[in-house]
């Protein structure tokens, strides 16, 4: 399950950046393409986000994360590039 969490963390971070890219670069010039891409990208990101949070909750006790570490891992899902930081700092050692 830990390996699945690592993969989910990376994919969630990528989907977050793709969602932002769609908003920042495509929306101003191609409104119709933006709306076409918004649903599939947004849905993918939402599913990965829920998976990331759910797996983090399940792994908290298995990985012996204290509440501070657990809070940082959860908060990183809200910040662009946060899950990549978590992968390098907290998930690379295991």
């Amino acid at each position: 399950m830990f390996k699945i969490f690592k993969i989910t963390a990376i994919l969630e971070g990528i989907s977050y950046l793709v969602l932002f890219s769609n908003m920042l670069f495509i929306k101003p010039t191609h409104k119709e393409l933006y709306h076409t891409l918004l649903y599939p990208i947004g849905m993918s990101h939402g599913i990965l986000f829920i998976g990331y949070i759910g797996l983090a909750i399940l792994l908290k006790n298995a990985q012996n994360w204290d509440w501070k570490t657990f809070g940082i891992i959860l908060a990183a899902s809200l910040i662009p590039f946060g899950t990549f930081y978590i992968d390098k700092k907290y998930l690379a050692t295991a």
Side-chain angles (χ1 to χ4, degrees):
M1 188 171 357
F2 186 75
K3 187 162 180 90
I4 293 171
F5 181 67
K6 285 182 70 156
I7 292 168
T8 304
I10 296 299
L11 292 175
E12 197 273 338
I14 291 169
S15 71
Y16 199 15
L17 295 177
V18 170
L19 194 59
F20 272 133
S21 297
N22 184 40
M23 181 183 68
L24 293 173
F25 302 120
I26 297 175
K27 184 179 179 181
T29 56
H30 307 314
K31 293 261 189 211
E32 199 151 314
L33 179 60
Y34 164 75
H35 287 293
T36 303
L37 295 174
L38 185 61
Y39 182 78
I41 296 170
M43 183 62 73
S44 301
H45 173 68
I47 290 168
L48 288 165
F49 177 78
I50 291 168
Y52 178 87
I53 298 298
L55 287 168
I57 291 168
L58 291 173
L59 285 172
K60 182 195 178 300
N61 291 331
Q63 296 297 318
N64 295 320
W65 292 332
D66 60 4
W67 284 102
K68 180 182 175 187
T69 302
F70 182 62
I72 291 169
I73 289 171
L74 291 181
S77 67
L78 303 173
I79 302 167
F81 299 103
T83 57
F84 302 120
Y85 169 77
I86 294 302
D87 182 52
K88 291 289 184 193
K89 176 139 183 165
Y90 295 102
L91 306 180
T93 58

